[in-house]
Amino acid sequence: MGKIVLVPTPIGNLEDMTLRAIRVLREADLIAAEDTRKTGVLLKHFEISTSQTSLHQHNEHQRIPSLLEKIQQDGLTLAVVSDAGTPGISDPGFLLVRAAREQNIPVEVLPGPTAFIPALVASGLPCDKFTFEGFLPQKKGRKSRLEALAQEDRTLILYESPHKLTKTLLQLAEYLGENRPAFVGREISKIHETHYPGTLGVLSKHFEESEKPKGEFVIIIGPGKP
């Protein structure tokens, strides 16, 4: 029987690619990529010639059964990558791993890049206990989720896109309090990485009045008191 190997890829700096990740991608029979064009650039940089197939949120339900069949019948080693970071963390990967576990197909996960850990450590906010929320619901369930987060007494971690950052910070300040300590990390590991410490009130005002958000963001919010 073959196996599945989830391979984290750099979130910005190509030097974050591990020797083990390069070896696994070279030795795999097939690479399942979120975007074969983006992964193609990475493979070319590291001189990896392994064939690719697409596996993303719009086709994973249809593709997973045939991929698992190849792994079982042909002994295929399937390497799985997302556009950046660790597959399964706000990226495709979970459904494949769940289905593989149900069929007793071996799953291996390599350690590697993910944006929220360096942002959390750099924030200076407590990192002994934290909860990772990923992206907040855009419409349905957003209000109830914000209300639930207001009761959380651990450090909170969220991802947000540039065009929704200001709205999210304003809502967080409304529900969690303007004086709640917070930190925004921009373009983690990339050349324009920027850190913004402050409070939810200060940070929401900054991006509302002084700076148009550009890039990808991690929001860290310090513990509150339920």
Side-chain angles (χ1 to χ4, degrees), residues 120 123 125-126 129-131 136 146 149 152-158 168-169 172-173 176-177 180-184 199-200 203 218-224:
L120 172 63
S123 72
L125 297 170
K129 296 179 181 178
F130 59 88
T131 180
L136 288 173
L146 286 165
L149 293 179
E152 179 61 63
D153 61 356
R154 294 171 293 181
T155 298
L156 302 173
I157 307 170
L158 297 92
T168 295
L169 287 172
L172 288 168
L176 278 66
R180 189 83 166 257
F183 172 93
V184 171
T199 64
L200 287 174
L203 292 171
V218 183
I219 303 171
I220 313 292
I221 305 164

CSV table of all heavy atoms in Angstrom, one decimal, residues 120 123 125-126 129-131 136 146 149 152-158 168-169 172-173 176-177 180-184 199-200 203 218-224:
chain,number,residue,atom,x,y,z
A,120,LEU,N,2.4,34.7,16.4
A,120,LEU,CA,2.0,34.6,17.8
A,120,LEU,C,3.3,34.9,18.7
A,120,LEU,O,3.2,35.6,19.6
A,120,LEU,CB,1.5,33.2,18.1
A,120,LEU,CG,1.3,32.8,19.5
A,120,LEU,CD1,0.2,33.7,20.2
A,120,LEU,CD2,0.8,31.4,19.6
A,123,SER,N,4.4,38.5,18.7
A,123,SER,CA,3.4,39.5,19.3
A,123,SER,C,3.7,39.9,20.7
A,123,SER,O,3.4,41.0,21.1
A,123,SER,CB,2.0,38.9,19.2
A,123,SER,OG,1.9,37.9,20.2
A,125,LEU,N,2.4,38.6,23.1
A,125,LEU,CA,1.2,38.2,23.9
A,125,LEU,C,1.3,36.8,24.4
A,125,LEU,O,2.1,36.0,23.8
A,125,LEU,CB,-0.1,38.4,23.0
A,125,LEU,CG,-0.3,39.9,22.6
A,125,LEU,CD1,-1.4,39.9,21.5
A,125,LEU,CD2,-0.7,40.7,23.8
A,126,PRO,N,0.6,36.4,25.4
A,126,PRO,CA,0.8,35.1,26.0
A,126,PRO,C,0.6,34.0,24.9
A,126,PRO,O,-0.4,34.0,24.2
A,126,PRO,CB,-0.3,35.0,27.1
A,126,PRO,CG,-0.5,36.4,27.5
A,126,PRO,CD,-0.3,37.2,26.2
A,129,LYS,N,-1.2,29.4,26.1
A,129,LYS,CA,-2.5,28.8,25.8
A,129,LYS,C,-3.2,29.8,24.7
A,129,LYS,O,-3.2,31.0,24.9
A,129,LYS,CB,-3.4,28.8,27.0
A,129,LYS,CG,-3.0,27.9,28.1
A,129,LYS,CD,-3.9,27.9,29.3
A,129,LYS,CE,-3.4,27.0,30.4
A,129,LYS,NZ,-4.3,27.1,31.6
A,130,PHE,N,-3.6,29.2,23.6
A,130,PHE,CA,-4.2,30.0,22.6
A,130,PHE,C,-5.2,29.2,21.8
A,130,PHE,O,-5.2,27.9,21.8
A,130,PHE,CB,-3.1,30.6,21.6
A,130,PHE,CG,-2.3,29.5,20.9
A,130,PHE,CD1,-2.7,29.0,19.7
A,130,PHE,CD2,-1.1,29.1,21.5
A,130,PHE,CE1,-1.9,28.0,19.1
A,130,PHE,CE2,-0.3,28.1,20.9
A,130,PHE,CZ,-0.7,27.6,19.7
A,131,THR,N,-6.0,29.9,21.0
A,131,THR,CA,-7.0,29.2,20.1
A,131,THR,C,-6.9,29.8,18.8
A,131,THR,O,-6.8,31.0,18.6
A,131,THR,CB,-8.4,29.3,20.7
A,131,THR,OG1,-9.3,28.7,19.8
A,131,THR,CG2,-8.9,30.8,20.8
A,136,LEU,N,-12.8,34.2,10.1
A,136,LEU,CA,-14.2,34.3,10.7
A,136,LEU,C,-15.2,34.1,9.6
A,136,LEU,O,-14.9,34.3,8.4
A,136,LEU,CB,-14.4,35.7,11.2
A,136,LEU,CG,-13.7,36.0,12.5
A,136,LEU,CD1,-13.9,37.5,12.9
A,136,LEU,CD2,-14.2,35.2,13.7
A,146,LEU,N,-18.4,36.1,16.9
A,146,LEU,CA,-17.8,37.2,17.6
A,146,LEU,C,-18.2,37.3,19.1
A,146,LEU,O,-17.4,37.5,20.0
A,146,LEU,CB,-18.1,38.5,16.9
A,146,LEU,CG,-17.4,38.8,15.6
A,146,LEU,CD1,-18.0,39.9,14.8
A,146,LEU,CD2,-15.9,39.1,15.8
A,149,LEU,N,-16.3,34.6,20.9
A,149,LEU,CA,-14.9,34.9,21.1
A,149,LEU,C,-14.7,35.9,22.2
A,149,LEU,O,-13.7,36.0,22.9
A,149,LEU,CB,-14.3,35.5,19.8
A,149,LEU,CG,-14.2,34.5,18.7
A,149,LEU,CD1,-13.6,35.2,17.4
A,149,LEU,CD2,-13.3,33.3,19.1
A,152,GLU,N,-13.8,34.3,25.4
A,152,GLU,CA,-12.6,33.4,25.4
A,152,GLU,C,-11.6,34.1,26.2
A,152,GLU,O,-11.3,35.3,26.2
A,152,GLU,CB,-12.1,33.3,23.9
A,152,GLU,CG,-10.9,32.5,23.8
A,152,GLU,CD,-11.0,31.1,24.3
A,152,GLU,OE1,-11.9,30.3,23.7
A,152,GLU,OE2,-10.3,30.7,25.3
A,153,ASP,N,-10.9,33.3,27.1
A,153,ASP,CA,-9.9,33.8,28.0
A,153,ASP,C,-8.5,33.3,27.6
A,153,ASP,O,-7.5,33.5,28.3
A,153,ASP,CB,-10.2,33.4,29.5
A,153,ASP,CG,-10.2,31.9,29.7
A,153,ASP,OD1,-10.0,31.1,28.7
A,153,ASP,OD2,-10.3,31.5,30.8
A,154,ARG,N,-8.4,32.8,26.4
A,154,ARG,CA,-7.1,32.5,25.8
A,154,ARG,C,-6.7,33.5,24.7
A,154,ARG,O,-7.5,34.2,24.2
A,154,ARG,CB,-7.1,31.1,25.2
A,154,ARG,CG,-7.2,30.0,26.3
A,154,ARG,CD,-7.5,28.6,25.6
A,154,ARG,NE,-8.8,28.6,24.9
A,154,ARG,CZ,-9.2,27.5,24.3
A,154,ARG,NH1,-8.5,26.4,24.3
A,154,ARG,NH2,-10.4,27.5,23.7
A,155,THR,N,-5.4,33.5,24.4
A,155,THR,CA,-5.0,34.3,23.2
A,155,THR,C,-5.7,33.8,21.9
A,155,THR,O,-5.8,32.6,21.7
A,155,THR,CB,-3.5,34.3,23.1
A,155,THR,OG1,-2.9,34.8,24.2
A,155,THR,CG2,-3.0,35.1,21.8
A,156,LEU,N,-6.2,34.8,21.1
A,156,LEU,CA,-6.9,34.4,19.9
A,156,LEU,C,-6.0,34.7,18.7
A,156,LEU,O,-5.3,35.7,18.6
A,156,LEU,CB,-8.2,35.2,19.8
A,156,LEU,CG,-9.2,35.1,20.9
A,156,LEU,CD1,-10.3,36.1,20.7
A,156,LEU,CD2,-9.8,33.7,21.0
A,157,ILE,N,-6.2,33.8,17.7
A,157,ILE,CA,-5.4,34.0,16.4
A,157,ILE,C,-6.4,33.9,15.3
A,157,ILE,O,-7.2,32.9,15.2
A,157,ILE,CB,-4.3,32.9,16.3
A,157,ILE,CG1,-3.4,32.9,17.5
A,157,ILE,CG2,-3.5,33.1,15.0
A,157,ILE,CD1,-2.5,31.7,17.5
A,158,LEU,N,-6.3,34.9,14.4
A,158,LEU,CA,-7.2,34.9,13.2
A,158,LEU,C,-6.4,35.2,12.0
A,158,LEU,O,-5.4,35.9,12.1
A,158,LEU,CB,-8.3,35.9,13.3
A,158,LEU,CG,-9.4,35.7,14.5
A,158,LEU,CD1,-8.9,36.5,15.7
A,158,LEU,CD2,-10.7,36.2,14.0
A,168,THR,N,-12.9,43.8,10.1
A,168,THR,CA,-12.8,42.8,11.1
A,168,THR,C,-12.2,43.4,12.4
A,168,THR,O,-12.7,43.1,13.5
A,168,THR,CB,-11.8,41.6,10.6
A,168,THR,OG1,-12.5,40.9,9.5
A,168,THR,CG2,-11.6,40.6,11.7
A,169,LEU,N,-11.2,44.2,12.3
A,169,LEU,CA,-10.6,44.9,13.4
A,169,LEU,C,-11.7,45.8,14.1
A,169,LEU,O,-11.7,45.8,15.4
A,169,LEU,CB,-9.4,45.7,13.1
A,169,LEU,CG,-8.1,44.9,12.7
A,169,LEU,CD1,-7.1,45.9,12.2
A,169,LEU,CD2,-7.6,44.2,13.9
A,172,LEU,N,-14.0,43.4,16.0
A,172,LEU,CA,-13.4,42.8,17.1
A,172,LEU,C,-13.3,43.8,18.3
A,172,LEU,O,-13.5,43.5,19.4
A,172,LEU,CB,-12.0,42.4,16.7
A,172,LEU,CG,-11.9,41.1,15.9
A,172,LEU,CD1,-10.5,40.9,15.3
A,172,LEU,CD2,-12.3,39.9,16.6
A,173,ALA,N,-13.0,45.1,17.9
A,173,ALA,CA,-12.9,46.1,18.9
A,173,ALA,C,-14.3,46.3,19.6
A,173,ALA,O,-14.5,46.6,20.8
A,173,ALA,CB,-12.4,47.4,18.3
A,176,LEU,N,-15.0,42.7,21.6
A,176,LEU,CA,-14.1,42.3,22.5
A,176,LEU,C,-13.5,43.4,23.4
A,176,LEU,O,-12.9,43.2,24.4
A,176,LEU,CB,-12.9,41.6,21.9
A,176,LEU,CG,-13.1,40.1,21.5
A,176,LEU,CD1,-14.2,39.9,20.5
A,176,LEU,CD2,-11.8,39.5,21.0
A,177,GLY,N,-13.7,44.7,22.9
A,177,GLY,CA,-13.3,45.8,23.7
A,177,GLY,C,-12.1,46.6,23.0
A,177,GLY,O,-11.2,45.9,22.6
A,180,ARG,N,-8.5,46.0,24.4
A,180,ARG,CA,-7.9,44.6,24.4
A,180,ARG,C,-6.6,44.6,23.7
A,180,ARG,O,-6.5,45.1,22.5
A,180,ARG,CB,-8.9,43.7,23.6
A,180,ARG,CG,-8.6,42.2,23.7
A,180,ARG,CD,-9.1,41.6,25.0
A,180,ARG,NE,-9.0,40.1,24.9
A,180,ARG,CZ,-10.1,39.3,24.6
A,180,ARG,NH1,-11.3,39.9,24.6
A,180,ARG,NH2,-10.0,38.0,24.5
A,181,PRO,N,-5.5,44.1,24.3
A,181,PRO,CA,-4.2,44.1,23.6
A,181,PRO,C,-4.2,43.3,22.4
A,181,PRO,O,-4.9,42.2,22.4
A,181,PRO,CB,-3.3,43.6,24.7
A,181,PRO,CG,-4.2,42.8,25.6
A,181,PRO,CD,-5.5,43.6,25.6
A,182,ALA,N,-3.6,43.7,21.3
A,182,ALA,CA,-3.6,43.0,20.1
A,182,ALA,C,-2.3,43.2,19.3
A,182,ALA,O,-1.5,44.1,19.6
A,182,ALA,CB,-4.8,43.4,19.3
A,183,PHE,N,-2.2,42.5,18.2
A,183,PHE,CA,-1.0,42.5,17.3
A,183,PHE,C,-1.5,42.1,15.9
A,183,PHE,O,-2.2,41.2,15.8
A,183,PHE,CB,0.0,41.6,17.9
A,183,PHE,CG,1.2,41.4,17.0
A,183,PHE,CD1,2.4,42.2,17.2
A,183,PHE,CD2,1.3,40.4,16.0
A,183,PHE,CE1,3.5,42.0,16.4
A,183,PHE,CE2,2.4,40.2,15.3
A,183,PHE,CZ,3.5,41.0,15.4
A,184,VAL,N,-1.0,42.8,14.9
A,184,VAL,CA,-1.3,42.5,13.6
A,184,VAL,C,0.1,42.2,12.9
A,184,VAL,O,1.0,43.0,12.9
A,184,VAL,CB,-2.0,43.5,12.8
A,184,VAL,CG1,-2.1,43.2,11.3
A,184,VAL,CG2,-3.4,43.7,13.4
A,199,THR,N,-3.6,48.0,20.6
A,199,THR,CA,-4.9,47.5,21.1
A,199,THR,C,-5.8,47.4,19.9
A,199,THR,O,-5.5,48.0,18.8
A,199,THR,CB,-5.5,48.5,22.1
A,199,THR,OG1,-5.8,49.7,21.5
A,199,THR,CG2,-4.6,48.7,23.3
A,200,LEU,N,-6.9,46.7,20.1
A,200,LEU,CA,-7.9,46.6,19.0
A,200,LEU,C,-8.4,48.0,18.5
A,200,LEU,O,-8.6,48.2,17.3
A,200,LEU,CB,-9.1,45.8,19.4
A,200,LEU,CG,-8.8,44.3,19.5
A,200,LEU,CD1,-10.0,43.5,20.1
A,200,LEU,CD2,-8.4,43.7,18.1
A,203,LEU,N,-5.4,49.7,16.6
A,203,LEU,CA,-5.1,49.1,15.3
A,203,LEU,C,-6.2,49.3,14.3
A,203,LEU,O,-6.0,49.5,13.1
A,203,LEU,CB,-4.9,47.6,15.5
A,203,LEU,CG,-3.6,47.3,16.3
A,203,LEU,CD1,-3.5,45.8,16.6
A,203,LEU,CD2,-2.3,47.6,15.5
A,218,VAL,N,-2.2,38.3,9.9
A,218,VAL,CA,-2.5,37.5,11.0
A,218,VAL,C,-2.8,38.4,12.2
A,218,VAL,O,-2.1,39.4,12.4
A,218,VAL,CB,-1.3,36.6,11.5
A,218,VAL,CG1,-1.7,35.7,12.6
A,218,VAL,CG2,-0.8,35.7,10.3
A,219,ILE,N,-4.0,38.2,12.8
A,219,ILE,CA,-4.4,39.0,14.0
A,219,ILE,C,-4.2,38.2,15.2
A,219,ILE,O,-4.7,37.1,15.3
A,219,ILE,CB,-5.9,39.4,13.8
A,219,ILE,CG1,-6.1,40.2,12.5
A,219,ILE,CG2,-6.3,40.3,15.0
A,219,ILE,CD1,-7.6,40.5,12.2
A,220,ILE,N,-3.5,38.8,16.2
A,220,ILE,CA,-3.4,38.1,17.5
A,220,ILE,C,-4.0,39.0,18.5
A,220,ILE,O,-3.8,40.2,18.6
A,220,ILE,CB,-1.9,38.0,17.9
A,220,ILE,CG1,-1.1,37.4,16.7
A,220,ILE,CG2,-1.7,37.1,19.1
A,220,ILE,CD1,-1.4,35.9,16.4
A,221,ILE,N,-4.9,38.4,19.4
A,221,ILE,CA,-5.6,39.2,20.4
A,221,ILE,C,-5.3,38.6,21.8
A,221,ILE,O,-5.4,37.4,22.0
A,221,ILE,CB,-7.1,39.1,20.1
A,221,ILE,CG1,-7.4,39.6,18.7
A,221,ILE,CG2,-7.8,40.0,21.2
A,221,ILE,CD1,-8.8,39.3,18.2
A,222,GLY,N,-4.9,39.4,22.7
A,222,GLY,CA,-4.5,39.0,24.0
A,222,GLY,C,-5.7,38.4,24.8
A,222,GLY,O,-6.8,38.7,24.5
A,223,PRO,N,-5.4,37.7,25.8
A,223,PRO,CA,-6.5,37.1,26.6
A,223,PRO,C,-7.4,38.1,27.3
A,223,PRO,O,-7.0,39.2,27.6
A,223,PRO,CB,-5.8,36.3,27.7
A,223,PRO,CG,-4.4,36.1,27.2
A,223,PRO,CD,-4.1,37.3,26.3
A,224,GLY,N,-8.7,37.8,27.3
A,224,GLY,CA,-9.7,38.6,28.0
A,224,GLY,C,-10.1,38.0,29.3
A,224,GLY,O,-9.7,36.9,29.7
